[in-house]
Amino acid sequence: MQRRLFVQSCLGHDIEETVERVTNIQQDLATTVRTLNDVAQELIGVELLDPAQQLLARASGLWEIHLLQEPDAEPFPYIHLLDSRATIMFRLGLYEEAVAAELGVVELFESLAKEDPDSYLAVLATVRARLADYLRAAGRNAEALHHQRQVVETYEKLATSDPSRYRPSLVVSLTDLGELLRDLDNDDADPVLTRAATLRAALSGDI
């Protein structure tokens, strides 16, 4: 709660003042970067994309300094910066830039999921689905199809071990895959969409 209030208190200040306030109050650069990203997320939420972008640029510079000091630092603050940048680029209609940023997020989570699938496989599916959306927006449907198939495969695996938790996500991912296949005039579209509808109906019956 205190962190949230502090983040919101930064919104009325210009970029340099915000960076100074956060830097002065946080104990290390990694926490500073996370907090600056939180402020940027608040700005994105109210469509203040330009100041959010400036704030992310400053946070990225601080992250580079942090890496020089701690080369083995955990990547999560940087992952969040990349994801925020992708969101901004997408909302600005700069789809190729959004793809590039989100691809970085996916690659980092791929590495984490290999080491600890129980913790990161579901997150990887989420960010990969986002990448597929950005690729579709960029007109790169064949690449989007590759990633969306992987999303479905991941949720198939997760739903096998925890159906109540992951079947809804499987339904969404199958629907997205079917719609993408339909856009590509692929004959597999109807069977995939039918399966998604069947699973959705089964979920409704379980409620």
Side-chain angles (χ1 to χ4, degrees):
M1 176 61 74
Q2 289 181 344
R3 182 184 177 88
R4 174 79 173 180
L5 291 173
F6 175 73
V7 166
Q8 291 180 337
S9 74
C10 293
L11 296 180
H13 302 275
D14 63 28
I15 300 301
E16 295 304 322
E17 187 176 354
T18 297
V19 172
E20 183 178 357
R21 291 188 73 209
V22 174
T23 302
N24 287 339
I25 201 169
Q26 302 297 349
Q27 295 180 347
D28 61 82
L29 280 178
T31 304
T32 298
V33 169
R34 283 197 298 269
T35 304
L36 289 175
N37 183 72
D38 288 345
V39 178
Q41 281 290 330
E42 293 286 339
L43 292 169
I44 292 169
V46 292
E47 295 297 323
L48 293 174
L49 303 183
D50 185 58
Q53 195 169 356
Q54 294 178 49
L55 205 56
L56 291 177
R58 291 300 305 276
S60 296
L62 292 174
W63 180 252
E64 291 179 7
I65 294 172
H66 180 60
L67 280 184
L68 291 173
Q69 297 172 347
E70 297 186 33
D72 297 326
E74 293 289 334
F76 301 108
Y78 181 60
I79 290 174
H80 295 149
L81 291 180
L82 282 176
D83 197 50
S84 295
R85 172 174 168 75
T87 300
I88 292 174
M89 294 299 102
F90 182 75
R91 293 194 184 182
L92 290 173
L94 301 172
Y95 301 130
E96 292 293 346
E97 288 84 349
V99 166
E102 199 65 25
L103 182 58
V105 175
V106 168
E107 290 173 346
L108 287 165
F109 272 118
E110 282 178 333
S111 178
L112 290 166
K114 286 179 181 178
E115 297 177 4
D116 187 357
D118 290 343
S119 297
Y120 298 112
L121 198 57
V123 182
L124 175 59
T126 299
V127 297
R128 195 185 291 281
R130 197 173 300 142
L131 173 61
D133 288 341
Y134 295 165
L135 284 163
R136 288 183 72 180
R140 295 162 61 177
N141 285 354
E143 293 171 77
L145 180 60
H146 167 73
H147 287 283
Q148 190 60 42
R149 287 190 188 280
Q150 288 187 293
V151 173
V152 171
E153 289 174 6
T154 299
Y155 281 127
E156 293 266 22
K157 180 178 179 180
L158 292 169
T160 299
S161 59
D162 193 344
S164 62
R165 182 175 182 182
Y166 291 112
R167 274 186 184 167
S169 296
L170 176 59
V171 170
V172 172
S173 66
L174 280 167
T175 302
D176 289 342
L177 176 60
E179 291 175 351
L180 180 52
L181 288 166
R182 188 168 54 193
D183 289 345
L184 291 168
D185 294 322
N186 190 301
D187 292 340
D188 290 336
D190 286 344
V192 170
L193 289 170
T194 298
R195 184 179 176 221
T198 300
L199 287 174
R200 185 181 298 107
L203 286 174
S204 299
D206 289 341
I207 295 175

